[in-house]
Amino acid sequence: MFRYKNTPALLAANAGALDAVCCLLSLGAELLCTNEKGHNLIHSAALRFHTNVLEYFIDNPHEGLSVWDVIVGRFAAFIPRSVQKIYLYVTSIFLSQPSRNASLKGY
């Protein structure tokens, strides 16, 4: 068995291998899988700063797997409501820009 009971899809997300993630999902890999630490595909990609995988899930939303909910949702209780609204507004503007991928290249 894999360490932490990671599935091949979780390992691909952890490695930032977007082509492998897409291939595995197209072959029927479980989208909502988690390992024994409770990490899903979004956690696995975010923990290693694989923005390519995160961007894929932002651009191709899946039921039950929201990048926003996974990354920010846990901390929402600690962020004042007014700041959440401003952040959501700014993020929506940023994500709607066609050149957003170019601005992320430096990260």
Side-chain angles (χ1 to χ4, degrees):
M1 189 47 119
F2 297 113
R3 183 175 182 201
Y4 301 121
K5 298 187 180 179
N6 284 318
T7 65
L10 287 168
L11 291 171
N14 192 48
L18 181 57
D19 290 340
V21 170
C22 293
C23 179
L24 289 164
L25 293 177
S26 73
L27 293 171
E30 177 61 43
L31 182 68
L32 301 176
C33 59
T34 59
N35 63 16
E36 62 184 24
K37 286 187 160 191
H39 296 164
N40 62 25
L41 296 171
I42 303 300
H43 294 114
S44 295
L47 288 169
R48 301 283 180 162
F49 303 102
H50 294 304
T51 56
N52 60 330
V53 176
L54 297 174
E55 284 184 51
Y56 168 79
F57 285 108
I58 290 169
D59 293 339
N60 303 282
H62 295 280
E63 184 74 30
L65 196 63
S66 164
V67 173
W68 172 263
D69 289 343
V70 171
I71 295 176
V72 180
R74 311 179 159 192
F75 304 107
F78 303 104
I79 301 171
R81 188 56 125 181
S82 58
V83 174
Q84 288 180 29
K85 288 180 181 179
I86 293 168
Y87 184 80
L88 283 171
Y89 176 72
V90 171
T91 302
S92 68
I93 291 171
F94 176 73
L95 293 176
S96 68
Q97 299 297 317
S99 62
R100 88 169 199 282
N101 290 338
S103 64
L104 290 174
K105 295 296 183 203
Y107 295 95

